[in-house]
Amino acid sequence: MIRGRTAMVALCVASAACSSKGGSDSGRRASTNNTTTARPNNSVQTARPAVPAGSGTRIVVDVSESHQGFARGRALALEGLHGQVIEASLASQGLNVPFERCALDEQLHCQSALTIQQLRDPNTYRGRSGALDVALRKPPRAPRPDQQQPDPLDPFRVTILVTDGAQSSNTPFNAAATGDVACTGGADPSCIAALLRQRIDEGYGVWVLRLRLPFNGRYFSERRIDREMFARTTAHIADVNRNERSWSGVTLAARRPNFTGDSGSFEFSGARPLLLLVLTRDIPTGRLLVNEMLRRVRTERIGAGTADDIASSEWAPFEGYDARVTTAARMDSGGAADEVRVDRARVQNGTLTVPVTCSLRGRARVRVQGSIAQGSLPPPTFADVRFEWRRETPAARGVGLAPSAIRAAPGPFEGVFDVDCTGLPAGRFRYTWAVWGQWQLSEQAAQREWWFTENAPNSYEMPERVFGLADMARNVAGAGVQRAGALSRVTFELTRE
């Protein structure tokens, strides 16, 4: 998010010799549209030793000015988060060699690693913006290999981004935009969603953790506000203090608004959410790491003390369920059924092939059976999963499907097929049916997720929430959920004698 002005950001993060050039709101301005294209990844330096592909962890810490309030709220909470939760979890999983912690403002600064002591110092957080796109975006292809900037994610087995959210935007969320288009105006929710979707397409898993931490400092709306807008803010905060059970134990307050600057800042105290985005191509490792961080957060009790300090979600991938058809047998006997012979079926490449021979008088039902297995995790609650039998070959007499529902749950399933050779000419025929699966985002279920209920529809009214979170989450998780295709098939090789 755009925060305020910074001086010598590449050096101030790591050196106590730098001092602030002032904090007046009137001196702050939003980034221009050429911010993204003008950001070379200078701090992903070529001088440091090469990191073996897929090794260790990079932590990217947003050091924009709006994070000062976390350090002033309770600095030990930040120290515990980075030391006792993140670093300890990485060490327990063997993911801390090599280890790199970078500062992120308008660029990514990795030359001098941030220390735990700096992370709890409010003076560390003086960046004008937190350009999350720089930490996620694949650099453009250079004309020569020696000119190629390294990918900010690929050299590392795990990347963790620590931030309070995406940049504010005056434009509506664009669900279909690519990163090149969505990021032209900065790292707003449309931009971050597009970049995360791209990483998911490249095989990355994405997890999001939300931790409420004590906060006492300036909150930046990143837009000009007036008295009426601030009145809406104070009315909302009063309503939260009065009615929100999930914030029990914490009192929120907003005061001293600035109505003249473009930052729309005001003093905010109580607690705010901090987000941890975890990305890795090693899905099992990502899940283990996230579970370990969740365990340590609860053990260390570093949150704000609300009823719901911690929440998490896996936005990708979703293994869900797998289906396999395995056996086929004739159900009927006597009369016309005896004129249908079902020979031994064979399975190859997910398809059950069933040889059937019949006479002109043959009619019988054939039961096909299979099973649905669950992946490493069940589908998320916000995924609507449906299975059905679907004909893949053109409709024809000979083999038809009786009503056969397939429940989207682990366990056995079946399909009953009517084999009718009466009226068929002599010859050979093939009929293929698929177990078709379709996943899509359930909007009704999504509205019960924490990333929906904790969404802020604008950047000034609800400072205890995350601006644009619902749109971003729905778009990223929905892209991971959205899929359709055949999980297994059955082919009848019918010979009419």
Side-chain angles (χ1 to χ4, degrees):
M1 299 172 70
I2 300 175
R3 317 299 181 217
R5 185 169 54 190
T6 184
M8 300 173 64
V9 290
L11 300 177
C12 288
V13 166
S15 172
C18 295
S19 60
S20 171
K21 287 189 176 182
S24 66
D25 291 339
S26 59
R28 300 186 180 98
R29 57 185 177 85
S31 299
T32 59
N33 283 347
N34 64 357
T35 303
T36 304
T37 55
R39 290 180 194 134
N41 237 345
N42 294 332
S43 57
V44 184
Q45 68 282 14
T46 56
R48 73 178 162 84
V51 179
S55 298
T57 297
R58 167 180 277 179
I59 299 176
V60 178
V61 182
D62 186 339
V63 294
S64 52
E65 191 175 358
S66 69
H67 289 69
Q68 283 187 2
F70 291 111
R72 293 192 174 115
R74 192 171 79 223
L76 289 179
L78 281 179
E79 181 177 350
L81 172 63
H82 286 276
Q84 279 67 55
V85 175
I86 298 177
E87 285 193 27
S89 297
L90 292 170
S92 71
Q93 304 295 319
L95 298 170
N96 58 339
V97 180
F99 175 82
E100 183 174 82
R101 186 190 287 117
C102 306
L104 178 69
D105 43 42
E106 291 179 285
Q107 294 183 13
L108 191 60
H109 305 279
C110 301
Q111 296 94 333
S112 299
L114 285 168
T115 66
I116 293 291
Q117 289 71 28
Q118 287 171 318
L119 289 171
R120 69 185 187 189
D121 182 359
N123 291 320
T124 296
Y125 305 96
R126 297 162 66 183
R128 177 164 159 249
S129 69
L132 295 177
D133 56 322
V134 174
L136 291 170
R137 198 170 194 170
K138 190 180 287 290
R141 186 179 295 276
R144 299 202 320 260
D146 62 319
Q147 297 175 334
Q148 183 64 50
Q149 287 286 336
D151 188 299
L153 301 190
D154 276 351
F156 300 91
R157 192 172 175 190
V158 175
T159 300
I160 302 175
L161 278 66
V162 183
T163 180
D164 64 346
Q167 187 174 300
S168 179
S169 175
N170 293 323
T171 59
F173 184 85
N174 189 340
T178 64
D180 290 339
V181 173
C183 297
T184 55
D188 64 10
S190 295
C191 167
I192 301 309
L195 296 179
L196 288 176
R197 291 198 316 267
Q198 178 181 337
R199 291 301 185 171
I200 291 170
D201 290 342
E202 295 170 3
Y204 281 87
V206 177
W207 294 261
V208 182
L209 287 74
R210 187 273 291 142
L211 178 63
R212 287 175 180 165
L213 290 181
F215 188 92
N216 184 19
R218 297 298 289 179
Y219 174 85
F220 297 91
S221 302
E222 301 172 3
R223 57 174 294 177
R224 189 178 292 268
I225 63 172
D226 56 28
R227 296 183 186 279
E228 182 180 350
M229 295 164 72
F230 187 67
R232 291 170 59 184
T233 303
T234 55
H236 168 74
I237 289 175
D239 187 61
V240 171
N241 288 332
R242 183 169 54 250
N243 299 319
E244 287 282 346
R245 287 179 295 176
S246 63
W247 285 88
S248 60
V250 172
T251 300
L252 309 179
R255 54 194 176 276
R256 294 178 57 201
N258 181 280
F259 297 134
T260 59
D262 290 334
S263 71
S265 69
F266 52 85
E267 291 290 329
F268 180 75
S269 62
R272 287 192 62 220
L274 199 62
L275 301 180
L276 277 65
L277 279 74
V278 180
L279 293 94
T280 177
R281 281 193 174 105
D282 187 342
I283 307 305
T285 291
R287 287 172 176 158
L288 288 173
L289 174 62
V290 169
N291 287 336
E292 179 65 13
M293 287 197 293
L294 290 171
R295 185 189 70 81
R296 289 180 181 271
V297 164
R298 296 183 179 106
T299 301
E300 297 295 331
R301 298 182 180 180
I302 62 174
T306 71
D308 188 17
D309 270 345
I310 185 72
S312 68
S313 183
E314 179 176 302
W315 285 356
F318 306 117
E319 289 99 341
Y321 300 121
D322 191 18
R324 288 289 181 267
V325 287
T326 53
T327 63
R330 197 183 71 187
M331 298 173 61
D332 309 314
S333 60
D338 289 342
E339 299 293 325
V340 177
R341 185 175 73 249
V342 179
D343 294 326
R344 183 172 182 177
R346 59 187 185 275
V347 179
Q348 185 176 13
N349 298 327
T351 296
L352 179 73
T353 301
V354 185
V356 178
T357 304
C358 62
S359 71
L360 184 59
R361 298 182 299 275
R363 290 190 64 178
R365 291 179 301 164
V366 176
R367 176 185 286 119
V368 173
Q369 294 180 307
S371 62
I372 294 175
Q374 181 177 292
S376 300
L377 292 176
T381 56
F382 50 83
D384 180 22
V385 184
R386 300 186 182 187
F387 292 147
E388 64 177 1
W389 287 103
R390 180 173 292 189
R391 186 195 297 271
E392 290 196 340
T393 51
R397 293 178 301 166
V399 178
L401 175 68
S404 300
I406 305 177
R407 192 166 64 96
F413 69 90
E414 67 176 34
V416 177
F417 294 85
D418 294 316
V419 176
D420 185 358
C421 297
T422 62
L424 276 183
R428 295 184 177 181
F429 307 89
R430 288 175 63 90
Y431 306 91
T432 299
W433 294 75
V435 178
W436 187 267
Q438 182 163 333
W439 292 253
Q440 61 185 12
L441 188 75
S442 168
E443 185 64 29
Q444 184 177 10
Q447 292 181 15
R448 295 191 292 268
E449 294 293 320
W450 65 269
W451 38 259
F452 190 96
T453 59
E454 298 180 24
N455 170 72
N458 57 57
S459 61
Y460 64 89
E461 188 174 347
M462 302 177 177
E464 86 290 0
R465 300 188 185 184
V466 180
F467 168 69
L469 181 62
D471 283 334
M472 187 168 65
R474 184 194 288 111
N475 188 251
V476 176
V481 168
Q482 193 79 28
R483 69 186 75 169
L487 285 79
S488 190
R489 293 177 172 87
V490 54
T491 294
F492 292 91
E493 291 184 340
L494 180 61
T495 301
R496 216 287 278 157
E497 295 178 332

